[in-house]
Amino acid sequence: MRPPILRRLLRRVASVAALTLLAAHPVSAVAAPAAPAAAGLQQVTGFGSNPGNLQMFAYTPDNVAPGAPLVVALHGCTQSANAYYTNSGWTKYADLWGFDVVFPQTTSANNALSCFGWFDQAESTRGRGEAASVVQMVEYAKQTYGSDGRRVYVTGLSAGGGMTADLLAAYPDVFAGGSVASGLPAQCATSQAAAPGCQTGPQKLSPAQWGDKVRNSYPGWTGPWPRVAIWQGTADYTVYPANATALRDQWTDVWGIGQTPSSTQSLPGNTTRSVYEDASGQPAVETFSVSGMGHGLPVSPGSGADRCGSTAAYFLNTICSAYHTGVFWGLDKDAPGGGDGLPAPAGLKVTGVTDSSASLAWNAVEGAASYTVHRDGAKVATTASTSFTDTGLTAGTSYRYTVTAADSSGAAGAGSSAVTATTSGGTDPARCFTATNYAHVMAGRAHTSGGHAYANGSEQDMGLYNVFVTHTLRESPAGHFVIADSGCQAGSS
């Protein structure tokens, strides 16, 4: 075993080719990430023995009480904690929903491009290196801010996304959920030389083999497992979309559920959300495929409830990933007053739909003076009744609803389980294309990896990339293609 200082020095001078994640800028421009300048972001020292030589920065809103959730947000290569603080959108929801955020930072002292060492088992495994340093930051937050150890979440972009997956695998006892944006499956690479192969198309493993990489990261752990969101652009040629498929296979297998989604929904920014529910009907894994987006974190600047962040290098104006990830984790229910007091309304169900409305009903809660209805995590109405009809919706679209009860003082209780309502009507936007794999790739309906063609959106393996293999692809929604060789419901093109 090399001494840690020697090993880090060797990593600094190793081939940059193995560290292409987010490496569009010259090394000289990113070797020393700028110190955080915003007054709200504070550096924390003395958080532990820090075996991974990381820096800790934290954002702690004034209104956050002890016992609140904690989010750990990992930047990508060439970035800094301040860049993630400024652009990712997480601070908006920390203020709105009431939680603390820790922003770990690595530097060129660890890696020439300031990448987290997702590909290095000395940094990415339980009790070692950078992974151990991040967990020490979590422990510091629990002791200093009073963060709830049952509600700790981790998210990251690119190399930070790869480290996020590694942390979820190594520390399922620490993290209740995670979100991997343009990242890699847990333990995809265990050496620097193997890193580029993961980025451009990970090993062709079965879901069980991917799942074993998680199970072997903390032998003996039987659950509960973290709930995982996966964000990926279909036009990402730095971390190829095949990684999102591998991540889905990995975490659905860990949960013991299939790889067929329980439901799908079209979201803003040409985004398709696919939900994979656990045995109790709760979302365990969600994938967000952003059609046409390249390598980066999805943001959507604006003042709306579901708008966040600011555009910058690798912060791409499509959809607010922080909002949808936070709703998936239930952070919106953890807002001040959101988890105490009255119990969650039971029996929420969809009682009817039209092409522009959805009707809901639920059981009364003793002591409730009113009920608040949330659509896709955003408040849409308050009513004294135990039923509600949401109007002005789009035909042929799925919406997710939850309900909270409030007492006479206006204090809200816990949120109900979610239900999905799909409005009727609408036109099927599907189009079908029959062509060779080569032609599909040239037309932008598929992409290549390792000599094979993969359908954009679904990531289905179409076989060898050549002019001899022919498939029919069905497009629905726009930018999402599935193999439809057995028949397609739309006219062929």
Side-chain angles (χ1 to χ4, degrees):
M1 181 69 68
R2 297 188 183 97
I5 295 176
L6 176 58
R7 177 167 51 80
R8 293 185 188 284
L9 179 60
L10 290 174
R11 289 176 59 199
R12 285 193 67 186
V13 299
S15 171
V16 174
L19 302 172
T20 56
L21 293 175
L22 281 178
H25 301 303
V27 174
S28 61
V30 297
L41 188 65
Q42 302 296 325
Q43 183 167 6
V44 177
T45 58
F47 58 85
S49 61
N50 193 17
N53 191 35
L54 299 182
Q55 297 172 351
M56 176 181 177
F57 295 89
Y59 177 66
T60 55
D62 292 337
N63 66 328
V64 176
L70 175 70
V71 172
V72 179
L74 301 170
H75 63 77
C77 300
T78 80
Q79 293 183 322
S80 65
N82 188 52
Y84 226 69
Y85 165 85
T86 302
N87 300 302
S88 67
W90 278 108
T91 53
K92 171 177 178 174
Y93 299 106
D95 290 335
L96 183 64
W97 294 336
F99 57 86
D100 296 308
V101 189
V102 166
F103 295 90
Q105 179 170 284
T106 188
T107 68
S108 59
N110 280 8
N111 176 275
L113 296 175
S114 299
C115 305
F116 288 101
W118 61 272
F119 48 81
D120 184 348
Q121 288 194 312
E123 302 294 349
S124 65
T125 53
R126 188 175 178 90
R128 304 180 72 187
E130 294 175 352
S133 288
V134 171
V135 172
Q136 287 181 355
M137 296 179 196
V138 171
E139 289 303 313
Y140 177 92
K142 289 163 59 177
Q143 296 175 19
T144 305
Y145 313 140
S147 301
D148 185 350
R150 299 165 301 173
R151 295 181 295 168
V152 179
Y153 307 90
V154 59
T155 181
L157 166 64
S158 194
M163 182 59 81
T164 291
D166 290 337
L167 284 164
L168 294 172
Y171 294 97
D173 52 333
V174 173
F175 299 104
S179 177
V180 181
S182 299
L184 299 304
Q187 295 302 316
C188 180
T190 57
S191 69
Q192 191 179 70
C198 285
Q199 294 168 218
T200 58
Q203 309 103 306
K204 300 299 188 291
L205 302 181
S206 68
Q209 289 171 318
W210 280 118
D212 284 344
K213 288 181 176 286
V214 173
R215 287 182 284 267
N216 293 337
S217 294
Y218 187 19
W221 179 260
T222 58
W225 295 103
R227 298 181 183 271
V228 183
I230 301 158
W231 291 85
Q232 181 70 49
T234 64
D236 188 341
Y237 302 112
T238 300
V239 175
Y240 279 37
N243 285 282
T245 302
L247 278 159
R248 178 207 63 188
D249 290 352
Q250 183 171 68
W251 289 99
T252 52
D253 180 78
V254 166
W255 273 89
I257 55 182
Q259 285 73 57
T260 300
S262 307
S263 63
T264 60
Q265 180 184 8
S266 296
L267 298 178
N270 294 320
T271 303
T272 299
R273 176 172 62 195
S274 299
V275 180
Y276 302 81
E277 296 178 347
D278 64 15
S280 67
Q282 296 302 306
V285 178
E286 292 193 356
T287 63
F288 298 81
S289 178
V290 187
S291 180
M293 189 185 78
H295 189 65
L297 182 74
V299 298
S300 180
S303 58
D306 61 349
R307 307 289 294 275
C308 74
S310 55
T311 56
Y314 308 111
F315 294 96
L316 307 180
N317 189 359
T318 50
I319 183 173
C320 174
S321 57
Y323 169 80
H324 290 281
T325 297
V327 170
F328 169 55
W329 289 339
L331 294 179
D332 57 323
K333 299 176 186 177
D334 293 322
D340 300 322
L342 296 177
L348 177 62
K349 61 183 177 180
V350 180
T351 58
V353 294
T354 69
D355 60 356
S356 62
S357 67
S359 297
L360 309 169
W362 55 91
N363 298 338
V365 174
E366 184 176 356
S370 63
Y371 301 90
T372 299
V373 180
H374 301 262
R375 182 208 310 137
D376 292 333
K379 175 181 175 180
V380 294
T382 298
T383 176
S385 174
T386 56
S387 62
F388 174 72
T389 296
D390 193 16
T391 59
L393 306 179
T394 301
T397 303
S398 295
Y399 299 92
R400 260 171 116 191
Y401 291 93
T402 58
V403 177
T404 58
D407 60 22
S408 57
S409 69
S416 70
S417 297
V419 296
T420 299
T422 303
T423 54
S424 60
T427 58
D428 186 354
R431 295 187 299 161
C432 294
F433 305 85
T434 301
T436 67
N437 282 354
Y438 173 82
H440 282 309
V441 171
M442 292 300 100
R445 297 186 287 268
H447 59 276
T448 63
S449 177
H452 279 222
Y454 294 86
N456 287 345
S458 71
E459 295 303 319
Q460 289 177 308
D461 189 343
M462 299 162 57
L464 293 174
Y465 172 53
N466 58 32
V467 296
F468 304 109
V469 180
T470 297
H471 284 294
T472 297
L473 295 183
R474 182 175 186 268
E475 182 184 22
S476 180
H480 186 90
F481 297 87
V482 296
I483 298 174
D485 293 340
S486 60
C488 199
Q489 301 302 313
S492 297
S493 300

